[in-house]
């Protein structure tokens, strides 16, 4: 199976996140990295057809946010997170 990775790099305020949210498809998996927590919240709240999860650092099976993110990727979750 071949994976397709799409990177969108355009100026701030050009509508990248809105366009991305409108284009989500339930038959695909997504890892969305945005600069602000408010943008993570927007992705999670506005994505009607695709459920998103957010990594956090207090998961019982993963003591750090990075480990939780790794576990979520291995489980095939759709993930929205910040890059910081």
């Amino acid at each position: 199976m071949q994976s397709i990775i799409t990177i969108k790099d355009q100026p701030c305020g050009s509508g990248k996140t809105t366009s991305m949210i409108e284009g989500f498809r339930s038959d695909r998996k997504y890892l969305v990295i945005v600069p602000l927590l408010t943008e993570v919240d927007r992705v999670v709240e506005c994505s009607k057809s695709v459920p998103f999860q957010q990594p956090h650092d207090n998961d019982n099976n993963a003591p750090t946010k990075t480990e939780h993110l790794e576990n979520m990727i291995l489980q095939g979750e759709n993930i929205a997170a910040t890059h910081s």
Side-chain angles (χ1 to χ4, degrees), residues 17-19 25 27 51 80:
T17 303
T18 300
S19 172
R25 295 177 28 189
D27 63 334

Side-chain angles (χ1 to χ4, degrees), residues 14-60:
S14 65
K16 295 180 300 293
T17 303
T18 300
S19 172
M20 178 179 53
I21 291 169
E22 291 170 352
F24 287 145
R25 295 177 28 189
S26 61
D27 63 334
R28 294 190 179 173
K29 294 295 178 189
Y30 298 94
L31 171 60
V32 177
I33 306 298
V34 291
L36 303 171
L37 283 173
T38 54
E39 287 296 284
V40 171
D41 292 339
R42 183 162 76 112
V43 169
V44 172
E45 292 169 12
C46 295
S47 302
K48 306 294 186 218
S49 63
V50 177
F52 277 87
Q53 304 297 322
Q54 298 178 56
H56 49 81
D57 60 2
N58 60 355
D59 181 80
N60 290 333

Side-chain angles (χ1 to χ4, degrees), residues 1-6 28-29 73:
M1 179 169 90
Q2 184 179 8
S3 297
I4 297 173
I5 298 172
T6 303
R28 294 190 179 173
K29 294 295 178 189
I73 290 169

